[in-house]
Amino acid sequence: MDLSLMNKEQKKAIQSTEGPLLIMAGAGSGKTRVLTHRVAYLLEDRGVPARNILAITFTNKAAREMRDRVSALITEGTQDMWISTFHSMCVRILRSNINHLGYENSFSILDPTDQKSVVKDILKRRNLDPKQHNPRNIIGFISDKKNQLIRPEQSIAEAAAYPDTLYSEMYHDYQQILYRNSALDFDDLIMLTIELFDKEPKVLEYYQNRFQYIHVDEYQDTNHAQYRLITQLAEKYRNICVVGDSDQSIYKFRGADISNILNFEDDYPEAVVIKLEQNYRSSKNILDAANAVIENNTERKPKALRTERDGGPKLQNIVADSERGEAEEVVGNILDLADKYSHSEMAILYRTNAQSRAIEDTFVKSNIPYKMVGGIKFYDRKEIKDLMSYLKVILNPNDDISFERIINTPKRGIGPKTVDKLKAHGQTTGISIFESIKESDFIGIPKTAVVKLMGLVDLLEKLAQKSKFITITELVDEVLESTGYLEVLESEKTIEARSRIENLEEFKTVTREFDRDNEISDELLFTFLSDMALVSDQDGIEDDGGVTMMTMHASKGLEFKVVFVVGLEEGIFPSRRVIYDDKELEEERRLMYVALTRAEDHLFLSRANSRMIFGKTESNMQSRFLSEIPESLVEGGGAFAQGDANTGSGLKKRTPKRSRIVTNNSGVSFAIGDKVEHKKFGEGIISAIKGEGDSQELDIIFNKVGIKRLLANFAPIEKKE
């Protein structure tokens, strides 16, 4: 294999194939390139069979990219490799072996909405108020226990005080319900795989012999359960290569344990350690700023990123009066750079989603295209959830959680009392709602309801049979037509119903792509539902021409030519809840490091003197992270000094240009009653003018689309005579 384009450290990492290997890969150091070439090197130069290679990443998108890159390097003999996420790998293992744990092989995978339904049901049975016991907190408690591999019985035994005692009992109830439904949540996928390996040593030995060369990407983000799973698989051959960066460990809130990477050499004393410090992404000024910030942490393996790129533009500082002013400054700079960079090459990063509102409003008024990561997800929409529930029940009729959702959707005259009787009968006899329906003649359900219920059961059984011989797209069409779901939406003749129909059509874009890559088989529906359950936020990020808006956490692994990091104020970032906790504060600093190293060319760091967030106006000092950046890296030669908006040492004042108004005359003024023309909305008339100076807004009544409020400085309008 040709490794001539690799640097010395990269080449050593690729060729060190035997025994434990820790690759400390800095941001932008080409770790994916190294991993894919290492896999290809094992196949081509070392003659390792593809079936003996396992590579684990954290997102489906990263797994697809790695698989494609390896296939481009080695055109044949790669199909038997496993390159997947932790969860996808566990689904495959459990699909073949979960019967050892008493589950059906056609198990369902719960999404967060399903989990919330189960917890609400438990609260209802226990006569507890969801307002006092937030289902999200209970789900978080259960998830934390599973990530620590603590079963319900152990949790109950160890619980010392309220509410842990109550939540541990609810964890027990929750797990019983899932078992009865032959359903798993995300955390179960890993916990039950470990339980399977503990219970069935021969199953573990099979996978140890199969995966003799193991690769784990983003090792700093692994939690205890993931660490234990990898340790089990690697125990026999110890050919384990982990890649990561202790400076980018930012998922403690999800259970990630930075000690996994820091203690790798304790776990494997014979390990080789290689540092990848050559950065191929960012300019020198950006890297020097990131290095200066992260050096203030103590819980890390020391390293310093370097680059062969020149210094590049210095960091730009934005200080605004308010969050609205901050948004306008960001938009102004985006417009300044629009002739050099496309919108899709720019990103705005913030600590929490709540900070996005003012920026989004300004984008809308400025007619700048954007996309938000982590907003309302397509798969959370009602019509998509309904359809997915039908597919889940077709695969696993014992999935009461999904069955309860579709039993009267669309409405078929089955009321809540009937459902309660079916559930009560199922709980008493230990059977599912689906099976209870078959006994509905004997449990006090009216004859008319029995006929409707049996009709539903008959329909679902026929669909289950058809599902083995048709594509997923054809199955979706069958479900929508035979259940009457589509007919009901079409009969409503409302804008909302039309939108729901369009979303269902869009869903078929997903199924068609799946059908192109998968042949019809008994496994088809299970594979499809598993794929859908494991979709992550980043899997949906597409280059559709807009500026990307996302949290810093969501940005990890991505890169942009231009990056704006906003909300750099004490109490916002770092978050108020961590300021007095040294370990938590170090995690916030790692998050700052991640945000800075997303930028390739231009980096803007922004704060506001006052900000309204969660309905409350706050005035906070600048973030301590700004003061950790050397003044020589800042535009104007000064440090990030505390001061008034757009004033002070080293601060660049950006005055929005009047020419940002789309007109033939610079400095044009508008008055109520003026006629204007907008590129997109057409002709209109100004009905009101609000605000002063840079914040001036125009209310315009357009002939085609009605009233729109636009920023005078940025709206693409021309004044008509």
Side-chain angles (χ1 to χ4, degrees):
M1 168 158 293
D2 182 12
L3 301 179
S4 60
L5 296 179
M6 301 291 172
N7 65 39
K8 183 176 68 174
E9 292 83 8
Q10 289 176 329
K11 188 181 296 185
K12 184 179 178 183
I14 291 167
Q15 294 177 327
S16 301
T17 59
E18 304 305 307
L21 173 65
L22 169 60
I23 303 175
M24 292 295 292
S29 62
K31 68 179 177 64
T32 304
R33 190 162 171 248
V34 168
L35 265 181
T36 52
H37 276 75
R38 190 176 194 274
V39 170
Y41 181 81
L42 283 167
L43 291 165
E44 188 174 81
D45 290 56
R46 299 303 304 272
V48 175
R51 71 184 315 275
N52 292 146
I53 296 174
L54 170 67
I56 301 174
T57 68
F58 270 80
T59 68
N60 294 318
K61 183 179 181 181
R64 282 195 303 271
E65 180 183 356
M66 188 180 295
R67 196 178 298 113
D68 291 344
R69 286 202 194 184
V70 172
S71 297
L73 293 169
I74 306 291
T75 55
E76 294 182 2
T78 62
Q79 56 267 32
D80 290 334
M81 282 186 309
W82 279 28
I83 299 180
S84 71
T85 64
F86 273 100
H87 294 100
S88 296
M89 176 186 72
C90 290
V91 166
R92 293 181 72 174
I93 293 171
L94 292 172
R95 175 65 167 165
S96 302
N97 301 280
I98 200 170
N99 57 296
H100 291 295
L101 302 178
Y103 289 78
E104 296 290 334
N105 288 93
S106 58
F107 57 86
S108 301
I109 302 174
L110 272 61
D111 63 20
T113 306
D114 298 328
Q115 289 179 275
K116 195 172 180 181
S117 298
V118 173
V119 170
K120 282 184 173 180
D121 194 44
I122 294 170
L123 288 169
K124 184 178 178 182
R125 289 186 211 172
R126 288 176 169 265
N127 293 316
L128 295 171
D129 187 352
K131 293 180 181 177
Q132 292 184 340
H133 302 280
N134 190 324
R136 288 181 63 182
N137 294 341
I138 298 167
I139 291 169
F141 175 89
I142 293 171
S143 178
D144 184 57
K145 294 299 180 186
K146 290 184 177 183
N147 287 333
Q148 296 179 58
L149 301 178
I150 296 173
R151 299 287 297 173
E153 298 76 17
Q154 182 183 350
S155 183
I156 291 171
E158 293 176 351
Y162 184 88
D164 284 7
T165 49
L166 172 63
Y167 290 177
S168 294
E169 291 173 0
M170 294 182 69
Y171 174 22
H172 181 269
D173 295 349
Y174 174 91
Q175 210 60 12
Q176 280 194 325
I177 291 172
L178 265 60
Y179 181 79
R180 193 164 58 242
N181 284 267
S182 208
L184 282 63
D185 62 22
F186 269 35
D187 300 314
D188 279 329
L189 293 172
I190 295 174
M191 185 176 76
L192 292 183
T193 302
I194 294 168
E195 189 175 314
L196 170 69
F197 288 163
D198 287 340
K199 185 182 179 195
E200 302 291 334
K202 288 185 178 180
V203 176
L204 171 59
E205 187 178 17
Y206 169 83
Y207 286 104
Q208 285 176 335
N209 288 331
R210 170 150 194 180
F211 303 132
Q212 296 179 24
Y213 292 85
I214 298 172
H215 305 75
V216 186
D217 195 10
E218 306 287 7
Y219 193 65
Q220 78 281 347
D221 292 335
T222 52
N223 59 33
H224 176 67
Q226 291 162 338
Y227 163 80
R228 172 78 190 286
L229 179 63
I230 290 302
T231 303
Q232 285 179 309
L233 288 170
E235 188 175 13
K236 186 172 182 179
Y237 289 94
R238 298 176 76 81
N239 293 324
I240 176 172
C241 167
V242 302
V243 186
D245 180 4
S246 56
D247 291 336
Q248 296 187 70
S249 180
I250 59 172
Y251 293 121
K252 186 178 179 182
F253 69 98
R254 293 182 186 170
D257 186 351
I258 193 174
S259 68
N260 292 344
I261 195 167
L262 294 177
N263 297 338
F264 184 82
E265 293 160 87
D266 295 331
D267 294 337
Y268 302 94
E270 74 274 33
V272 173
V273 179
I274 298 172
K275 294 182 181 179
L276 302 183
E277 298 174 299
Q278 179 77 38
N279 178 279
Y280 296 94
R281 175 189 299 155
S282 305
S283 68
K284 188 175 187 301
N285 284 332
I286 292 170
L287 286 187
D288 287 349
N291 285 333
V293 170
I294 201 62
E295 282 171 2
N296 291 278
N297 272 7
T298 59
E299 199 172 36
R300 65 189 294 257
K301 283 187 176 289
K303 68 175 189 322
L305 294 180
R306 62 182 187 274
T307 181
E308 293 179 357
R309 290 185 60 184
D310 59 21
K314 291 191 176 184
L315 280 63
Q316 300 288 318
N317 191 18
I318 295 173
V319 185
D321 286 323
S322 65
E323 75 278 5
R324 179 180 284 270
E326 179 182 56
E328 291 171 1
E329 288 291 315
V330 168
V331 165
N333 280 287
I334 287 173
L335 292 169
D336 285 342
L337 292 167
D339 58 343
K340 186 175 181 183
Y341 298 101
S342 66
H343 289 132
S344 62
E345 293 178 307
M346 305 184 193
I348 300 169
L349 310 182
Y350 32 78
R351 180 62 180 82
T352 65
N353 279 310
Q355 293 169 249
S356 66
R357 180 193 55 79
I359 299 168
E360 187 178 9
D361 286 350
T362 308
F363 273 158
V364 171
K365 293 171 183 175
S366 305
N367 203 34
I368 292 177
Y370 67 95
K371 52 180 177 285
M372 290 186 68
V373 178
I376 297 176
K377 300 181 181 66
F378 178 76
Y379 297 102
D380 286 344
R381 292 186 166 98
K382 179 186 182 302
E383 59 276 13
I384 305 302
K385 286 285 294 176
D386 290 344
L387 177 55
M388 289 291 286
S389 293
Y390 267 108
L391 296 177
K392 287 180 181 180
V393 172
I394 289 168
L395 176 70
N396 175 17
N398 294 323
D399 182 352
D400 283 359
I401 301 149
S402 297
F403 201 104
E404 191 172 349
R405 184 180 183 94
I406 57 100
I407 195 169
N408 197 42
T409 305
K411 295 189 182 302
R412 48 178 63 95
I414 300 170
K417 289 184 179 179
T418 296
V419 176
D420 287 345
K421 285 181 180 179
L422 290 168
K423 288 170 66 177
H425 180 70
Q427 289 160 15
T428 302
T429 58
I431 61 176
S432 64
I433 291 176
F434 188 84
E435 294 299 326
S436 294
I437 289 174
K438 296 177 180 178
E439 301 178 9
S440 55
D441 272 334
F442 314 107
I443 56 177
I445 293 177
K447 187 68 176 176
T448 53
V450 170
V451 172
K452 293 170 183 173
L453 288 167
M454 291 304 296
L456 177 59
V457 165
D458 182 57
L459 172 62
L460 292 170
E461 287 179 337
K462 287 179 179 176
L463 288 170
Q465 286 300 314
K466 284 186 177 182
S467 69
K468 300 172 183 177
F469 307 104
I470 59 179
T471 66
I472 299 299
T473 306
E474 290 168 336
L475 179 60
V476 166
D477 286 333
E478 286 274 356
V479 169
L480 293 176
E481 184 177 345
S482 61
T483 62
Y485 195 97
L486 193 59
E487 183 182 359
V488 169
L489 285 177
E490 288 172 341
S491 67
E492 289 179 11
K493 299 187 184 305
T494 63
I495 295 174
E496 182 183 6
R498 184 67 251 165
S499 176
R500 293 190 188 282
I501 292 170
E502 289 171 356
N503 288 334
L504 290 169
E505 287 299 317
E506 179 61 25
F507 183 78
K508 284 192 275 188
T509 302
V510 177
T511 63
R512 288 188 187 100
E513 288 178 1
F514 176 84
D515 289 333
R516 278 200 301 268
D517 299 331
N518 295 271
E519 295 181 358
I520 295 172
S521 71
D522 290 354
E523 298 286 311
L524 193 65
L525 182 55
F526 179 87
T527 304
F528 175 74
L529 290 175
S530 298
D531 285 357
M532 290 300 99
L534 300 175
V535 169
S536 71
D537 283 355
Q538 282 201 8
D539 294 329
I541 301 174
E542 300 294 341
D543 182 6
D544 57 5
V547 178
T548 299
M549 296 175 60
M550 66 199 321
T551 64
M552 298 173 196
H553 281 100
S555 73
K556 187 157 173 290
L558 303 176
E559 57 188 40
F560 302 90
K561 296 289 186 184
V562 181
V563 169
F564 296 83
V565 183
V566 300
L568 286 166
E569 302 131 37
E570 289 288 302
I572 304 295
F573 185 52
S575 169
R576 182 174 288 104
R577 64 179 178 77
V578 311
I579 287 175
Y580 302 107
D581 185 321
D582 288 343
K583 282 186 175 294
E584 295 283 355
L585 186 57
E586 288 211 354
E587 174 124 344
E588 290 283 284
R589 187 175 282 108
R590 291 194 291 269
L591 187 57
M592 177 68 166
Y593 176 81
V594 167
L596 298 179
T597 53
R598 298 312 94 197
E600 296 181 34
D601 298 345
H602 292 271
L603 179 59
F604 293 80
L605 303 176
S606 174
R607 65 183 177 90
N609 283 329
S610 68
R611 180 182 304 276
M612 179 174 284
I613 191 164
F614 303 124
K616 181 183 177 183
T617 300
E618 298 179 351
S619 296
N620 298 313
M621 295 175 63
Q622 71 171 28
S623 169
R624 68 190 68 193
F625 301 146
L626 288 176
S627 64
E628 294 170 358
I629 297 174
E631 62 181 55
S632 60
L633 303 177
V634 183
E635 178 71 24
F640 286 94
Q642 190 74 26
D644 296 330
N646 292 319
T647 63
S649 175
L651 302 183
K652 180 186 179 186
K653 177 175 174 62
R654 202 204 76 78
T655 305
K657 303 171 185 176
R658 298 301 294 180
S659 60
R660 289 302 171 197
I661 297 171
V662 181
T663 179
N664 292 328
N665 301 311
S666 179
V668 66
S669 59
F670 294 98
I672 294 174
D674 284 350
K675 293 180 180 180
V676 295
E677 184 164 358
H678 187 282
K679 284 186 176 181
K680 180 177 178 182
F681 303 139
E683 292 186 359
I685 187 169
I686 298 174
S687 62
I689 299 176
K690 299 182 179 180
E692 299 292 335
D694 294 345
S695 299
Q696 188 179 56
E697 295 179 335
L698 307 176
D699 283 359
I700 304 174
I701 304 173
F702 290 101
N703 297 337
K704 296 179 180 178
V705 296
I707 295 179
K708 296 283 183 182
R709 180 171 293 174
L710 307 175
L711 281 174
N713 273 334
F714 306 124
I717 55 177
E718 289 186 359
K719 190 172 180 180
K720 295 178 71 67
E721 296 300 328

